[in-house]
Amino acid sequence: MEHPITLNELSARKQSIARHFAKANDYDQHAHIQQHICQHLLTLIAHQQQDSVLEVGAGTGQMTQLLAANLQSNRWIINELCAQQAKNLQSILPKAQLRIGDAETIDLATNHSLIVSANAIQWFDEPLRFISQSSTRLQAGGQLLLSTFTPDNFLQIKALTGKGLAYPSVAAWRSALEDTKLKNAQLSTQRFDIPFARPYDVLKHMKMTGVSTNQTQRRSTADNQNTAPFVWTKARLQQFEQAYWQQFSGQDKEGQPCVYLTYEVLIIDAYRS
């Protein structure tokens, strides 16, 4: 097992992200959409026998477990930002090389037959750059398979707080693919509108899955977005709850009043020429 990179070697923003996910102890109990996405990605993997598999942003190991149970590979490299996940990930794939650290800056090797990333690269400083990085890391005929989110993800939170990640558009991802040796790319989206009994439950769900409304944004020089930390006060929470009910309420399957939180997922499946 490789020595994990400490948080001190990460940028301030990546340290913040790692801390949030380290505190999400009940992630797997709440990340049902993420688990569904991992299951879907598994069905898209072209070959069960691989030469070399690289997983980027393994998190708690939702995708890692599926890969370990369903694929055979001569080499495994598992990357994760949060050092606290190292022991868990190593237990899932004991023979894997663990690369704990920032996937945008550390060496993740080359000549992979499969690169997989599930629900992770939206946290990158430059998410689109992952496409060109993956193109150089894949062997000829190798598959890139990833899931991330569209600008409509968590649209309710952004509308009510003005905070949230700046997700690249589907068109931007398509453009990034066109500039590489990745061909036969398939891009698809899936939308999930999840009901919650109260707006407060939405915030609790986000916290349990490692998402913050304040400290994990990318700083943008392209616009004048206010990047000041978003601090919840009693008055702000009351205003948030009232506005959420007014703008994003409905009824669940049992006919009970609820509010909705939107997940909109982007799947990219491409091959290196």
Side-chain angles (χ1 to χ4, degrees), residues 46-255:
H47 304 291
Q48 289 185 318
Q49 182 65 49
Q50 299 286 338
D51 294 325
S52 178
V53 176
L54 166 63
E55 183 186 4
V56 176
T60 61
Q62 285 187 333
M63 191 74 215
T64 315
Q65 293 181 56
L66 294 175
L67 295 172
N70 292 278
L71 300 186
Q72 297 292 325
S73 182
N74 298 323
R75 179 175 66 155
W76 295 91
I77 296 180
I78 306 298
N79 159 256
E80 168 52 20
L81 180 71
C82 184
Q84 286 87 338
Q85 295 295 343
K87 184 177 180 180
N88 174 52
L89 293 171
Q90 196 75 73
S91 70
I92 296 171
L93 265 172
K95 65 179 181 178
Q97 301 175 46
L98 285 192
R99 304 285 173 87
I100 303 297
D102 185 349
E104 293 189 86
T105 60
I106 65 174
D107 177 20
L108 293 177
T110 59
N111 203 37
H112 301 294
S113 57
L114 174 66
I115 297 177
V116 180
S117 182
N119 317 311
I121 60 174
Q122 64 274 6
W123 298 108
F124 281 20
D125 292 331
E126 298 180 78
L128 294 172
R129 189 165 170 263
F130 181 67
I131 298 295
S132 59
Q133 287 179 324
S134 297
S135 179
T136 62
R137 290 169 178 159
L138 281 170
Q139 62 184 230
Q143 182 181 15
L144 170 64
L145 189 59
L146 70 90
S147 65
T148 184
F149 300 91
T150 79
D152 280 341
N153 196 61
F154 294 166
L155 61 90
Q156 296 87 353
I157 304 302
K158 188 171 291 187
L160 297 177
T161 68
K163 299 294 181 180
L165 286 176
Y167 302 97
S169 68
V170 176
W173 285 108
R174 195 178 301 278
S175 178
L177 285 159
E178 291 172 353
D179 293 334
T180 69
K181 293 183 178 181
L182 294 168
K183 307 301 178 185
N184 301 319
Q186 300 293 321
L187 288 78
S188 61
T189 60
Q190 296 182 21
R191 177 169 171 144
F192 305 89
D193 293 307
I194 311 302
F196 290 88
R198 302 173 300 165
Y200 177 77
D201 294 329
V202 173
L203 296 179
K204 184 177 179 181
H205 167 79
M206 295 178 69
K207 181 178 180 180
M208 293 295 183
T209 54
V211 179
S212 168
T213 55
N214 52 14
Q215 294 177 324
T216 53
Q217 300 182 94
R218 288 183 292 274
R219 292 191 178 274
S220 173
T221 57
D223 56 37
N224 295 318
Q225 181 181 9
N226 178 16
T227 57
F230 187 91
V231 179
W232 286 106
T233 63
K234 183 176 180 179
R236 179 171 273 176
L237 182 59
Q238 289 176 340
Q239 183 182 26
F240 172 83
E241 290 181 329
Q242 183 180 15
Y244 213 125
W245 278 114
Q246 289 176 345
Q247 298 181 42
F248 303 112
S249 62
Q251 292 183 336
D252 62 18
K253 293 180 179 179
E254 286 73 41

